[in-house]
Amino acid sequence: MTEQTAQHFSPQRDRIFKDLSELVAFNSVHSTPALADQHEAACAWTVEALQALGLDVTRYPTVDDADTIVGKREPINGAPTVLLYSHYDVVPANNPEAWTSDPFELTERDGRWYGRGAADCKGNLAMHLEALRMLEENGGTDLGLKVVVEGSEELGGDDGLGKLIEDKPEVFEADAILIADTGNMAAGVPTLTTSLRGGAQVKVTVETLANQAHSGNFGGGAPDAAHALMVIATSLFDEHGRTTIDGVDTTAKWDGDAYDRETFRTDATVLEGVQLLGTVDDEPADLVWARPAVTMIGFTSTPVAEALNAVNARAEAQFNLRVPAGQSTAEITQKMEEHIKAHTPWGAKVEVDISGVNEPFATNPKAGAVATLGECLQEAYGADELAVVGSGGSIPLTITLQNTFPDAEIALFGVEEPQCGIHGVDESVDPTEIERIAAAEAAFLQRYGK
């Protein structure tokens, strides 16, 4: 931290910066053997930080070799228990040279803090730590506390925490569960996320020839596998780019707060002159929060650099399916497979491989704990209104918790507003978001259950 940076920090922001800078310094990617020591160091740091706050801390091994940390404090006089969640692992920074500054050195520029995990999710972990400090400085609480910090949220291959919850539900049982892994719809706008889309990965492989065939001799007559796959992909969208799957309703409307078109364009970095998908009757919130959506996230045929004058024999595509609350991911995934096979042209051989199926999630913003958190967020921001939004993303943990503890009230919030650029180059966080959300969480922990 430079002197120029430090001179305008408040004491509260100073300690948040210290926590977050130490956390960001760990390249704590899970599932990468070369980074195992970094992942372990982040885990150990988190254990020490929770112990310093007076919590009884246990590391629980998971099936995917990434310890989940649980810091615990017993309730007093029969008070309810609140679980606070975040994770200490991150996605890879990929090419550090593409970053404006070192991704593993928290750096302040123009009022924002930059670094891998600054928002997702180490910024939320720093927020929890600050909220717990503020809580103690203001008299503490009788509530039971469980602080759960996962180690394989981003790249866990075997749903480590999910299986741990199934095996040891008593460790995670709580009356209210606050999941800090989303964020405000814009910096300075207090927000609760009330729904998450479920999702699945759908890999499609098409074969048309035993081998590549010379395009001069056979092109125009021999079926091209890449062309066949493009026909399949095109069938999944109408002329306005809206997802269409045979037998699936893709026309629902979002009934919560709107997602302004210009704000959406800015958040999604849509280029000047490029239209949004849908018609004038389709709002961005309809398309990303209320309807199923298919995105082709990968396509493989012959790379351009290796192109030959040949008809492609084989092509593959990876589709990501998102399913809104109120619909079944399992059912829609089956419908999508049926659609793909029905729209495969020319009798091409097609194989559909489905993985990573998770169901959508919804919570009631008027439920006691959720509503109380909303009030605390409004107060922390001095706002007249609370934004209630959905999220196009998926957090499978939410469904596991909801199914295991059906009486628990679950709230989603956090520091990850759209300008954070999570998972991308130059990920950042607005430190004011950490301060205000920490204040809201501390107020909630004093108010809930009384």
Side-chain angles (χ1 to χ4, degrees):
M1 181 171 59
T2 66
E3 289 183 5
Q4 183 179 5
T5 300
Q7 68 184 4
H8 61 75
F9 277 12
S10 67
Q12 180 189 8
R13 186 169 293 194
D14 207 17
R15 62 191 185 187
I16 294 172
F17 188 95
K18 181 178 184 296
D19 283 343
L20 191 53
S21 63
E22 292 178 6
L23 275 166
V24 165
F26 302 119
N27 185 6
S28 52
V29 176
H30 175 249
S31 302
T32 302
L35 296 175
D37 60 335
Q38 294 285 303
H39 187 271
E40 166 58 28
C43 180
W45 186 98
T46 304
V47 168
E48 291 181 6
L50 294 176
Q51 288 174 335
L53 291 169
L55 299 176
D56 181 13
V57 182
T58 303
R59 292 175 54 159
Y60 290 91
T62 59
V63 294
D64 55 0
D65 297 320
D67 285 4
T68 289
I69 303 161
V70 180
K72 185 177 179 181
R73 182 182 300 165
E74 295 295 336
I76 300 172
N77 299 324
T81 293
V82 176
L83 186 152
L84 310 177
Y85 168 87
S86 61
H87 59 88
Y88 63 87
D89 64 310
V90 295
V91 298
N94 292 326
N95 179 16
E97 299 301 320
W99 289 63
T100 303
S101 55
D102 185 342
F104 305 109
E105 181 178 349
L106 192 66
T107 304
E108 192 268 352
R109 293 196 304 275
D110 300 322
R112 296 186 70 89
W113 295 348
Y114 289 81
R116 172 57 83 224
D120 181 21
C121 194
K122 292 175 177 178
N124 283 305
L125 176 52
M127 181 276 295
H128 283 321
L129 296 175
E130 181 59 24
L132 292 172
R133 284 192 293 254
M134 294 175 68
L135 178 66
E136 292 307 307
E137 291 168 356
N138 288 278
T141 180
D142 286 350
L143 293 174
L145 294 174
K146 294 181 179 180
V147 184
V148 176
V149 191
E150 186 178 3
S152 56
E153 194 276 341
E154 300 289 8
L155 299 178
D158 297 303
D159 191 19
L161 178 54
K163 291 184 178 179
L164 183 60
I165 292 171
E166 293 175 5
D167 293 342
K168 298 180 180 294
E170 69 283 356
V171 173
F172 304 94
E173 187 173 6
D175 299 284
I177 299 172
L178 307 190
I179 297 177
D181 197 8
T182 59
N184 292 339
M185 64 184 302
V189 179
T191 304
L192 283 176
T193 300
T194 59
S195 70
L196 299 169
R197 288 194 289 192
Q201 300 292 343
V202 181
K203 180 181 177 182
V204 180
T205 303
V206 176
E207 293 182 313
T208 54
L209 309 172
N211 298 289
Q212 286 185 322
H214 193 287
S215 60
N217 293 335
F218 303 105
D224 187 305
H227 186 184
L229 186 47
M230 285 187 279
V231 170
I232 293 170
T234 301
S235 76
L236 291 164
F237 307 93
D238 68 10
E239 67 272 25
H240 302 293
R242 297 173 296 192
T243 295
T244 56
I245 301 172
D246 293 345
V248 175
D249 178 14
T250 57
T251 63
K253 306 292 287 185
W254 173 251
D255 60 3
D257 285 47
Y259 200 156
D260 175 75
R261 288 177 184 272
E262 289 306 311
T263 302
F264 181 87
R265 290 184 67 90
T266 299
D267 292 345
T269 69
V270 179
L271 297 177
E272 183 71 26
V274 177
Q275 298 177 3
L276 299 183
L277 301 183
T279 69
V280 294
D281 296 323
D282 300 302
E283 295 295 328
D286 302 333
L287 296 165
V288 300
W289 297 337
R291 302 177 185 176
V294 171
T295 304
M296 183 191 290
I297 61 173
F299 183 94
T300 302
S301 182
T302 304
V304 171
E306 301 172 15
L308 303 171
N309 291 329
V311 180
N312 292 289
R314 177 186 174 93
E316 294 180 332
Q318 185 78 36
F319 295 94
N320 179 241
L321 170 67
R322 300 286 178 162
V323 177
Q327 295 186 319
S328 165
T329 301
E331 292 179 7
I332 293 180
T333 303
Q334 181 180 351
K335 292 287 187 182
M336 183 173 171
E337 180 176 3
E338 294 170 356
H339 176 110
I340 290 167
K341 292 179 177 178
H343 289 267
T344 299
W346 318 316
K349 307 302 181 185
V350 62
E351 180 179 334
V352 181
D353 181 28
I354 296 168
S355 62
V357 176
N358 62 88
E359 294 295 333
F361 167 84
T363 191
N364 179 6
K366 297 181 180 179
V370 185
T372 299
L373 179 61
E375 293 169 0
C376 293
L377 286 166
Q378 278 186 257
E379 293 170 7
Y381 281 85
D384 294 329
E385 295 184 357
L386 175 75
V388 177
V389 304
S391 172
S394 302
I395 305 177
L397 171 67
T398 56
I399 293 298
T400 301
L401 290 168
Q402 196 170 59
N403 291 340
T404 307
F405 310 113
D407 295 330
E409 296 165 343
I410 302 175
L412 286 86
F413 67 117
V415 305
E416 302 167 25
E417 44 82 20
Q419 295 307 306
C420 291
I422 63 173
H423 291 199
V425 170
D426 285 348
E427 177 182 352
S428 68
V429 68
D430 183 335
T432 305
E433 296 289 277
I434 300 179
E435 291 173 324
R436 290 179 175 176
I437 294 173
E441 183 169 278
F444 172 87
L445 293 173
Q446 288 195 307
R447 188 176 307 175
Y448 177 65
K450 292 186 178 178

